[in-house]
Amino acid sequence: MIRSAVLAITERSWTRRLIMDTPPGRRVAQRFVAGETLASAVAVARSLNDEGLKVSMDHLGEHVTSVDETIAARDAYLACAHAIAGAGLDANISVKLTQLGMGIDDGIAAEHLGEIAVAAKEIGTTVTVDMEESTYTETTIGIYEKAQADHGNLGIAIQAYLLRSAADLDRIIPLGGHIRLCKGAYAESADVAYQGVSEVNRSFDRLSALLMASPDTKPAIASHDDGRLTPVLVASESRTEPWEFQMLYGVRRDRQRELATSGHDVRIYVPYGEAWYPYLTRRMAERPANLMFFARALVGG
Ligand code: FDA
């Protein structure tokens, strides 16, 4: 698959250096990342809010290797909650559990997630747990279930490409949190994930229909693919409970504004921070044209 090939190239250390340390690489990153500081993310969130778009703030980082790094990540999220309140933003928070310690010590990750959920609750907002590689799906859902039972202001991402996702929805819809449905951004094998574009799309449509018909959850439909958005727009005509679209900062900006202008809730995922490289590689793998854009800029100087 093209996705696996692009991710394999970008995982090499020379590619990483080439992208992180050259002006063309940083220019591509600027399209998708709101900046390296919390202040820059707050400024981006402010301007998105001013255009009628809601925001989810993501302090970039994943797969940290020490407890100190997990504490720093937790503190960055507590500062983020403080900044959301201070700036009066219409924003929630997205977290990756491998940034909070999942994989090193799952108990620490659960504890940090609880602290972030409490801080979010104090400012009247929610926390979404991103979904990472399939090796972490079961642990992620387990940590989410406990945090949602304890605090009640969380949600979780579910990936349509995973074979297990329909069963996971049956398990988590009754918990009442919001559920972000996305296609899935990692390289996964055929024993756990659909490999073909049309199979993934079919799965997405099946799961989005299920979510839109579930009054007990708030569906967050996370896609830029009009083929996936259209059936959701039709289903929304008979839904009275809240739901929203979610899209990534820098992807299909015109469509984001168009949907918001026509009265839909649209939330933009706003990543910020110094650890932007793995996030950028996934955006390149989704659309190899992004990698070509970088390559051309590099050759052209
Ligand atoms: P698709 O990839 O078919 O794209 C549809 C169209 O959108 C393309 O034709 C192009 O125009 C545009 N587009 C999409 N990606 C682009 C890019 N990178 N650059 C430029 N244009 C692009 N994944 C995951 O595994 N775990 C998670 O927690 C999340 N969280 C998440 C949150 C939000 C808010 C969104 C929108 C997405 C995620 N994802 C994710 C990523 C998701 O799984 C998926 O990889 C991307 O959204 C791309 O899939 P689309 O549904 O947009 O379709």
Side-chain angles (χ1 to χ4, degrees), residues 114-131:
E115 289 167 291
I116 295 166
V118 167
K121 205 176 201 171
E122 277 169 11
I123 63 159
T125 194
T126 58
V127 178
T128 310
V129 178
D130 285 2
M131 192 58 80

PDB file of all heavy atoms in Angstrom, residues 114-131:
ATOM      1  N   GLY A 114      -6.872  11.145  33.721  1.00  0.00           N
ATOM      2  CA  GLY A 114      -7.843  11.579  34.733  1.00  0.00           C
ATOM      3  C   GLY A 114      -7.600  13.032  35.132  1.00  0.00           C
ATOM      4  O   GLY A 114      -8.539  13.834  35.233  1.00  0.00           O
ATOM      5  N   GLU A 115      -6.322  13.395  35.331  1.00  0.00           N
ATOM      6  CA  GLU A 115      -6.013  14.778  35.744  1.00  0.00           C
ATOM      7  C   GLU A 115      -6.394  15.785  34.640  1.00  0.00           C
ATOM      8  O   GLU A 115      -6.901  16.870  34.917  1.00  0.00           O
ATOM      9  CB  GLU A 115      -4.519  14.897  36.067  1.00  0.00           C
ATOM     10  CG  GLU A 115      -4.137  14.170  37.349  1.00  0.00           C
ATOM     11  CD  GLU A 115      -2.620  14.026  37.488  1.00  0.00           C
ATOM     12  OE1 GLU A 115      -2.014  13.270  36.716  1.00  0.00           O
ATOM     13  OE2 GLU A 115      -2.060  14.680  38.378  1.00  0.00           O
ATOM     14  N   ILE A 116      -6.148  15.384  33.403  1.00  0.00           N
ATOM     15  CA  ILE A 116      -6.498  16.286  32.289  1.00  0.00           C
ATOM     16  C   ILE A 116      -8.026  16.409  32.181  1.00  0.00           C
ATOM     17  O   ILE A 116      -8.565  17.501  31.951  1.00  0.00           O
ATOM     18  CB  ILE A 116      -5.879  15.769  30.961  1.00  0.00           C
ATOM     19  CG1 ILE A 116      -4.354  15.814  31.046  1.00  0.00           C
ATOM     20  CG2 ILE A 116      -6.367  16.579  29.766  1.00  0.00           C
ATOM     21  CD1 ILE A 116      -3.627  15.029  29.954  1.00  0.00           C
ATOM     22  N   ALA A 117      -8.729  15.283  32.399  1.00  0.00           N
ATOM     23  CA  ALA A 117     -10.202  15.324  32.339  1.00  0.00           C
ATOM     24  C   ALA A 117     -10.760  16.244  33.424  1.00  0.00           C
ATOM     25  O   ALA A 117     -11.711  17.009  33.181  1.00  0.00           O
ATOM     26  CB  ALA A 117     -10.768  13.913  32.473  1.00  0.00           C
ATOM     27  N   VAL A 118     -10.159  16.192  34.623  1.00  0.00           N
ATOM     28  CA  VAL A 118     -10.620  17.068  35.720  1.00  0.00           C
ATOM     29  C   VAL A 118     -10.400  18.539  35.334  1.00  0.00           C
ATOM     30  O   VAL A 118     -11.299  19.381  35.488  1.00  0.00           O
ATOM     31  CB  VAL A 118      -9.882  16.722  37.043  1.00  0.00           C
ATOM     32  CG1 VAL A 118     -10.109  17.803  38.099  1.00  0.00           C
ATOM     33  CG2 VAL A 118     -10.324  15.350  37.557  1.00  0.00           C
ATOM     34  N   ALA A 119      -9.213  18.837  34.797  1.00  0.00           N
ATOM     35  CA  ALA A 119      -8.918  20.233  34.408  1.00  0.00           C
ATOM     36  C   ALA A 119      -9.887  20.690  33.314  1.00  0.00           C
ATOM     37  O   ALA A 119     -10.368  21.833  33.322  1.00  0.00           O
ATOM     38  CB  ALA A 119      -7.478  20.351  33.918  1.00  0.00           C
ATOM     39  N   ALA A 120     -10.186  19.779  32.374  1.00  0.00           N
ATOM     40  CA  ALA A 120     -11.108  20.132  31.282  1.00  0.00           C
ATOM     41  C   ALA A 120     -12.505  20.384  31.845  1.00  0.00           C
ATOM     42  O   ALA A 120     -13.200  21.326  31.438  1.00  0.00           O
ATOM     43  CB  ALA A 120     -11.135  19.024  30.241  1.00  0.00           C
ATOM     44  N   LYS A 121     -12.904  19.541  32.790  1.00  0.00           N
ATOM     45  CA  LYS A 121     -14.245  19.692  33.382  1.00  0.00           C
ATOM     46  C   LYS A 121     -14.371  21.034  34.099  1.00  0.00           C
ATOM     47  O   LYS A 121     -15.393  21.706  34.009  1.00  0.00           O
ATOM     48  CB  LYS A 121     -14.488  18.549  34.362  1.00  0.00           C
ATOM     49  CG  LYS A 121     -15.938  18.228  34.588  1.00  0.00           C
ATOM     50  CD  LYS A 121     -15.991  17.038  35.497  1.00  0.00           C
ATOM     51  CE  LYS A 121     -17.272  16.300  35.429  1.00  0.00           C
ATOM     52  NZ  LYS A 121     -17.206  15.034  36.173  1.00  0.00           N
ATOM     53  N   GLU A 122     -13.298  21.414  34.791  1.00  0.00           N
ATOM     54  CA  GLU A 122     -13.325  22.690  35.526  1.00  0.00           C
ATOM     55  C   GLU A 122     -13.574  23.873  34.593  1.00  0.00           C
ATOM     56  O   GLU A 122     -14.133  24.887  35.004  1.00  0.00           O
ATOM     57  CB  GLU A 122     -11.994  22.896  36.273  1.00  0.00           C
ATOM     58  CG  GLU A 122     -11.976  22.153  37.605  1.00  0.00           C
ATOM     59  CD  GLU A 122     -10.584  22.115  38.230  1.00  0.00           C
ATOM     60  OE1 GLU A 122      -9.671  22.820  37.754  1.00  0.00           O
ATOM     61  OE2 GLU A 122     -10.421  21.348  39.195  1.00  0.00           O
ATOM     62  N   ILE A 123     -13.126  23.747  33.347  1.00  0.00           N
ATOM     63  CA  ILE A 123     -13.345  24.869  32.414  1.00  0.00           C
ATOM     64  C   ILE A 123     -14.517  24.571  31.468  1.00  0.00           C
ATOM     65  O   ILE A 123     -14.699  25.240  30.443  1.00  0.00           O
ATOM     66  CB  ILE A 123     -12.067  25.213  31.614  1.00  0.00           C
ATOM     67  CG1 ILE A 123     -11.625  24.038  30.723  1.00  0.00           C
ATOM     68  CG2 ILE A 123     -10.943  25.629  32.544  1.00  0.00           C
ATOM     69  CD1 ILE A 123     -10.722  24.448  29.582  1.00  0.00           C
ATOM     70  N   GLY A 124     -15.280  23.524  31.789  1.00  0.00           N
ATOM     71  CA  GLY A 124     -16.508  23.243  31.038  1.00  0.00           C
ATOM     72  C   GLY A 124     -16.276  22.639  29.666  1.00  0.00           C
ATOM     73  O   GLY A 124     -17.072  22.854  28.741  1.00  0.00           O
ATOM     74  N   THR A 125     -15.178  21.891  29.507  1.00  0.00           N
ATOM     75  CA  THR A 125     -14.965  21.288  28.196  1.00  0.00           C
ATOM     76  C   THR A 125     -14.675  19.784  28.305  1.00  0.00           C
ATOM     77  O   THR A 125     -14.789  19.192  29.381  1.00  0.00           O
ATOM     78  CB  THR A 125     -13.880  22.049  27.394  1.00  0.00           C
ATOM     79  OG1 THR A 125     -13.960  21.627  26.023  1.00  0.00           O
ATOM     80  CG2 THR A 125     -12.481  21.793  27.909  1.00  0.00           C
ATOM     81  N   THR A 126     -14.327  19.181  27.172  1.00  0.00           N
ATOM     82  CA  THR A 126     -14.205  17.724  27.087  1.00  0.00           C
ATOM     83  C   THR A 126     -12.808  17.327  26.594  1.00  0.00           C
ATOM     84  O   THR A 126     -12.037  18.172  26.121  1.00  0.00           O
ATOM     85  CB  THR A 126     -15.248  17.156  26.101  1.00  0.00           C
ATOM     86  OG1 THR A 126     -15.042  17.762  24.823  1.00  0.00           O
ATOM     87  CG2 THR A 126     -16.672  17.433  26.570  1.00  0.00           C
ATOM     88  N   VAL A 127     -12.545  16.030  26.702  1.00  0.00           N
ATOM     89  CA  VAL A 127     -11.257  15.489  26.239  1.00  0.00           C
ATOM     90  C   VAL A 127     -11.544  14.333  25.288  1.00  0.00           C
ATOM     91  O   VAL A 127     -12.354  13.458  25.605  1.00  0.00           O
ATOM     92  CB  VAL A 127     -10.436  14.947  27.438  1.00  0.00           C
ATOM     93  CG1 VAL A 127      -9.123  14.327  26.963  1.00  0.00           C
ATOM     94  CG2 VAL A 127     -10.169  16.042  28.456  1.00  0.00           C
ATOM     95  N   THR A 128     -10.883  14.328  24.131  1.00  0.00           N
ATOM     96  CA  THR A 128     -11.013  13.194  23.206  1.00  0.00           C
ATOM     97  C   THR A 128      -9.720  12.391  23.219  1.00  0.00           C
ATOM     98  O   THR A 128      -8.628  12.958  23.087  1.00  0.00           O
ATOM     99  CB  THR A 128     -11.252  13.672  21.758  1.00  0.00           C
ATOM    100  OG1 THR A 128     -12.305  14.628  21.757  1.00  0.00           O
ATOM    101  CG2 THR A 128     -11.643  12.490  20.858  1.00  0.00           C
ATOM    102  N   VAL A 129      -9.849  11.075  23.375  1.00  0.00           N
ATOM    103  CA  VAL A 129      -8.685  10.200  23.326  1.00  0.00           C
ATOM    104  C   VAL A 129      -8.484   9.769  21.872  1.00  0.00           C
ATOM    105  O   VAL A 129      -9.344   9.102  21.286  1.00  0.00           O
ATOM    106  CB  VAL A 129      -8.906   8.963  24.228  1.00  0.00           C
ATOM    107  CG1 VAL A 129      -7.712   8.022  24.139  1.00  0.00           C
ATOM    108  CG2 VAL A 129      -9.151   9.399  25.672  1.00  0.00           C
ATOM    109  N   ASP A 130      -7.367  10.182  21.274  1.00  0.00           N
ATOM    110  CA  ASP A 130      -7.042   9.769  19.898  1.00  0.00           C
ATOM    111  C   ASP A 130      -6.814   8.255  19.888  1.00  0.00           C
ATOM    112  O   ASP A 130      -6.448   7.665  20.901  1.00  0.00           O
ATOM    113  CB  ASP A 130      -5.734  10.436  19.439  1.00  0.00           C
ATOM    114  CG  ASP A 130      -5.900  11.916  19.109  1.00  0.00           C
ATOM    115  OD1 ASP A 130      -7.008  12.448  19.261  1.00  0.00           O
ATOM    116  OD2 ASP A 130      -4.893  12.539  18.718  1.00  0.00           O
ATOM    117  N   MET A 131      -6.976   7.643  18.702  1.00  0.00           N
ATOM    118  CA  MET A 131      -6.673   6.207  18.584  1.00  0.00           C
ATOM    119  C   MET A 131      -5.379   6.060  17.800  1.00  0.00           C
ATOM    120  O   MET A 131      -5.222   6.655  16.739  1.00  0.00           O
ATOM    121  CB  MET A 131      -7.831   5.477  17.896  1.00  0.00           C
ATOM    122  CG  MET A 131      -7.730   3.981  18.002  1.00  0.00           C
ATOM    123  SD  MET A 131      -7.663   3.363  19.709  1.00  0.00           S
ATOM    124  CE  MET A 131      -9.385   3.401  20.181  1.00  0.00           C
TER     125      MET A 131
END
